[in-house]
DNA sequence: TATTGTTATACTCTATAACTATA
DNA sequence: TATAGTTATAGAGTATAACAATA
């Protein structure tokens, strides 16, 4: 059996019996954990949780409402309140009442937030480049297209 | 600029100015969030956090010590204590003193934990299959190899 | 002395339930 | 009545600091 959610060293090497699709599954999961570890690290270095980092990334070119954000992230509305509260207190983003719906609140990045997000994106690129650059330019394009096709099938 | 950590609908379509490597970066990050969402959902359905799910996956074929586990996950020792406490109380795993080092504690899955992990792995396979099956068999092999090469370069 | 693990403490993330205001 | 958002509360995840036991 293959290693699933880990690449930690095994005590004993196990036999190679996984089906092909398990190999892709494991690779996908492991790659995700590596990517998430990088995102987590970048967040931690800037006092942002993974969720807050993600919110900032979303706000980069959008101005959603609280409920829309919550739905997109798969979180409860009440969870968003605290999340946005803390980021707002730090000056990264702000709230404003919606012009169309008196009940709704829109969320958007402040100038400081925008500057931070640009910095974080560059940092992300830097930290993942060594991994991506193991592949040559043509392979990178190939990988991107394969991933993109999977993602686009997800009601993209 | 591309969507980075999100595939949420944009208010206004922005211009296509990202370099090629940004495209791969975004695809990688988005694929990771999709994968993590599936893992999170499977965990939630079984009252397991992402971290606990991961610990169970690691314990599938290993018997690490507390410190090794913490180092592998990038967490503090004290965090592991609570994490393992809760899973142990649920009967999923257990602790035993190390034979070689009187200070060390080994962690391993109980029979119940093993049964759960096998079930979770099958569920993960089922939930990610629709996404992976967008690609044909040869493309899947290609994707796996590209990801694997990136992962193996990471001191694998 | 250094390492392994736990305890105590504090803060963030998250969900549920109850509430207010608007549609 | 239904929806948008907040508040109150509780449990889990996480880190820091201090500690006990062993190496």
């Amino acid at each position: 059996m293959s290693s699933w959610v880990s690449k930690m060293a095994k005590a004993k090497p196990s036999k190679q019996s996984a089906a092909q699709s398990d190999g892709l599954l494991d690779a996908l999961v492991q790659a995700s954990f590596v990517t998430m570890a990088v995102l987590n690290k970048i967040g931690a270095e800037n006092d942002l949780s993974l969720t807050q980092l993600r919110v900032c990334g979303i706000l980069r070119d959008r101005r959603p409402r609280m409920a829309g954000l919550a739905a997109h992230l798969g979180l409860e509305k009440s969870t968003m309140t605290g999340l946005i509260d803390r980021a707002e207190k730090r000056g990264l983003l702000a709230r404003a009442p919606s012009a169309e719906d008196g009940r709704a609140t829109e969320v958007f990045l402040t100038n400081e937030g925008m500057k931070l997000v640009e910095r974080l994106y560059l940092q992300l690129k830097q930290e993942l480049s060594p991994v991506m650059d193991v592949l040559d330019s043509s392979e990178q394009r190939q990988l991107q297209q394969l991933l993109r096709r999977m993602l686009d099938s997800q009601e993209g």
Side-chain angles (χ1 to χ4, degrees), chain A:
Chain A
M1 267 305 174
S2 46
S3 52
W4 191 15
V5 291
S6 162
K7 59 182 171 56
M8 196 180 194
K10 294 181 189 179
K12 308 170 185 176
S14 55
K15 55 184 172 178
Q16 291 280 2
S17 63
Q20 188 205 313
S21 69
D22 287 17
L24 175 54
L25 181 65
D26 288 354
L28 210 54
V29 170
Q30 285 180 41
S32 299
F33 274 114
V34 169
T35 306
M36 285 299 150
V38 172
L39 286 170
N40 239 321
K41 176 182 164 251
I42 292 176
E45 286 172 5
N46 292 275
D47 277 300
L48 288 173
S49 71
L50 197 52
T51 307
Q52 281 181 316
L53 185 71
R54 201 175 171 194
V55 167
C56 289
I58 291 171
L59 262 41
R60 199 187 190 194
D61 51 12
R62 293 169 189 82
R63 190 190 170 95
R65 299 175 182 180
M66 296 291 287
L69 261 182
H72 181 65
L73 296 171
L75 298 173
E76 290 300 315
K77 296 177 303 179
S78 58
T79 301
M80 287 310 309
T81 300
L83 228 38
I84 299 300
D85 276 354
R86 286 182 289 272
E88 189 172 26
K89 211 164 291 174
R90 283 184 53 188
L92 300 181
L93 46 83
R95 284 181 239 234
S98 163
E100 294 121 19
D101 189 331
R103 301 167 297 180
T105 302
E106 294 175 353
V107 187
F108 55 95
L109 286 178
T110 61
N111 284 336
E112 184 185 343
M114 277 188 271
K115 269 185 280 183
L116 176 64
V117 170
E118 292 313 314
R119 220 164 21 81
L120 295 179
Y121 187 70
L122 290 180
Q123 196 181 343
L124 176 62
K125 215 151 89 172
Q126 270 188 337
E127 305 233 9
L128 279 182
S129 283
V131 187
M132 297 192 297
D133 288 347
V134 170
L135 308 178
D136 66 34
S137 179
S138 144
E139 291 169 328
Q140 288 189 14
R141 205 174 316 116
Q142 219 172 25
L143 176 57
Q144 178 189 339
Q145 284 169 356
L146 291 169
L147 290 174
R148 184 56 58 198
R149 276 182 46 208
M150 291 203 311
L151 290 169
D152 289 346
S153 73
Q154 292 276 101
E155 60 110 17

